[in-house]
Amino acid sequence: MSHVIIIGCGVIGAAIAYELSQVTGLQITVIDQNQPAQASTGAALGVLMGAISQKIKGKAWRLRQTSIERYETLIPELEALTGRKIPFNRQGILHLSWEEENFENWEKLVEIRASQGWNLEIWDRAKLKSMCPQVNNDKITGAVYSPQDRQLDPTALTLALVEAAQKKGVTCQFGVNVVNISPTSVETTAGKFDADWVIVSAGLGSTLLTDQLNQKVDIRPVLGQALQVHLANPIGNAEFQPMITCNDVHIVPVGGGDYWIGATVEFPTDGDEIPPNHELLEDVRQQAIAFCPELTAATITRTWSGLRPRPEGRPAPIIEKLAGFNNILLATGHYRNGVLLAPATAYAIREMII
């Protein structure tokens, strides 16, 4: 048996644990100082922008495509294995276009996606009003609709991944701190674990872990705030509730007249401390109201925030061997795309190991 230690159990670590649990000959232990689905995973909106993204080739597109395809089978697979319900919106993503936006770029993307086997639709004002009457702003000239993109509940997904992995023999050590890491073992507050493979998927915690090995991977925090609102009835057509996005503001239907709205992007100004800026969150809410005025009547039921792990001076995410080590793998620094890229990241780590 090969011993695999996974450090970090957000959505990335949980996805890796589940993927590896299906490989024979591996003994897998997951270690996290918190309970699963905390930190950036717990703050994510679960928006899966694949076909509607501007990424069209290379690693960035391949990762997205792999994940979007895998989610179609992964969600029912996890629900059957665990009996858990994972909220999974299959009604697509709608990108609203402002009057100054160039539709030529979108028309090119529609052609590219068609050649790749993905469907995108350009809607004029009439089609938009017919399909989504809640969108009401004179400056919005149309929209791009991606019926194959999705949205899910990141916390529900992560907890299902953990339970499914445990059912397949994965050991989880939560509330446990890593004291020391080496190529052959991981020493923790719960004891020492021998390791043939060490996978670092600890988000912001990855910096301190790699620093112990003199190969510091610099990952900085970026705060994101979001809020949940409630209305007596769903906005627009109750039978058609896609995720709506405009100007990087997302309106996410989560059922029963509830919507998530987010998210801010807040960088540290002094050190790594980022106190939530409530004015920025209110600005996000007002932008959502500007294109869906019915949200004016919504009651705010909760707000939340989380720190996203952003690699310094290099693209996100980091999925590779740690420099100088053949058996220490990095799966971290996904910034704003951890939920989106979790299945593809798990596949990549599996390929490195087998």
Side-chain angles (χ1 to χ4, degrees):
M1 297 286 283
S2 284
H3 291 236
V4 180
I5 307 297
I6 302 170
I7 305 174
C9 197
V11 68
I12 300 296
I16 293 168
Y18 177 65
E19 187 64 41
L20 293 183
S21 73
Q22 298 171 79
V23 178
T24 56
L26 297 182
Q27 181 179 325
I28 302 159
T29 302
V30 179
I31 298 167
D32 199 305
Q33 62 185 2
N34 300 308
Q35 294 299 307
Q38 303 295 309
S40 56
T41 298
L45 296 178
V47 178
L48 309 179
M49 288 191 171
I52 207 167
S53 80
Q54 297 294 326
K55 309 293 185 184
I56 58 174
K57 61 183 179 180
K59 178 183 175 182
W61 166 244
R62 288 195 304 273
L63 288 171
R64 287 172 188 254
Q65 184 175 25
T66 298
S67 278
I68 293 291
E69 289 173 346
R70 174 59 172 140
Y71 269 125
E72 294 303 310
T73 58
L74 179 62
I75 298 301
E77 188 178 303
L78 291 172
E79 289 183 334
L81 190 57
T82 65
R84 290 175 176 267
K85 177 66 179 168
I86 304 170
F88 188 49
N89 188 339
R90 293 179 171 87
Q91 296 193 318
I93 293 177
L94 186 70
H95 170 93
L96 305 180
S97 298
W98 290 105
E99 53 191 8
E100 65 271 15
E101 192 160 353
N102 186 349
F103 264 101
E104 286 182 12
N105 292 336
W106 284 110
E107 287 163 358
K108 289 176 187 173
L109 186 63
V110 169
E111 290 179 11
I112 291 168
R113 289 293 183 248
S115 72
Q116 295 170 330
W118 297 85
N119 181 34
L120 284 180
E121 304 170 13
I122 293 180
W123 292 359
D124 60 16
R125 271 184 170 140
K127 177 71 178 283
L128 176 59
K129 187 173 183 180
S130 165
M131 298 298 293
C132 292
Q134 70 267 39
V135 177
N136 186 5
N137 186 309
D138 291 340
K139 292 184 178 180
I140 293 171
T141 55
V144 181
Y145 177 57
S146 179
Q148 291 164 289
D149 283 334
R150 303 286 184 254
Q151 183 275 332
L152 52 76
D153 185 315
T155 300
L157 166 69
T158 304
L159 294 177
L161 285 165
V162 170
E163 185 176 332
Q166 288 174 315
K167 284 178 179 290
K168 289 181 173 288
V170 172
T171 300
C172 293
Q173 298 277 349
F174 298 132
V176 171
N177 288 302
V178 172
V179 177
N180 189 51
I181 179 173
S182 79
T184 57
S185 67
V186 176
E187 192 176 339
T188 77
T189 50
K192 190 174 182 179
F193 297 87
D194 293 333
D196 297 297
W197 295 91
V198 178
I199 301 163
V200 178
S201 58
L204 290 166
S206 304
T207 300
L208 284 174
L209 292 169
T210 54
D211 199 20
Q212 289 184 15
L213 297 160
N214 299 313
Q215 290 288 349
K216 182 177 177 179
V217 175
D218 193 3
I219 300 178
R220 306 286 178 86
V222 179
L223 184 77
Q225 295 185 80
L227 53 89
Q228 180 170 330
V229 301
H230 177 75
L231 290 144
N233 298 294
I235 57 176
N237 178 357
E239 301 302 313
F240 181 61
Q241 292 279 300
M243 201 283 292
I244 296 174
T245 183
C246 186
N247 271 0
D248 206 24
V249 172
H250 306 320
I251 302 171
V252 180
V254 289
D258 288 323
Y259 294 84
W260 291 346
I261 299 173
T264 64
V265 179
E266 302 173 51
F267 294 89
T269 53
D270 184 21
D272 281 346
E273 291 297 314
I274 316 174
N277 185 325
H278 302 300
E279 290 179 6
L280 287 178
L281 184 58
E282 177 59 18
D283 182 59
V284 166
R285 188 178 79 93
Q286 290 301 329
Q287 286 190 65
I289 288 170
F291 33 87
C292 290
E294 287 180 62
L295 290 172
T296 306
T299 303
I300 299 172
T301 55
R302 72 178 178 121
T303 63
W304 69 94
S305 66
L307 295 173
R308 311 176 182 107
R310 179 176 179 268
E312 181 69 15
R314 58 175 297 180
I318 300 171
I319 309 170
E320 63 192 28
K321 289 181 179 177
L322 182 65
F325 299 91
N326 282 323
N327 69 328
I328 298 180
L329 308 181
L330 302 175
T332 189
H334 287 70
Y335 190 27
R336 302 176 72 189
N337 289 315
V339 180
L340 169 62
L341 301 181
T345 301
Y347 271 162
I349 293 295
R350 173 177 169 156
E351 288 304 303
M352 289 184 203
I353 287 179
I354 66 172

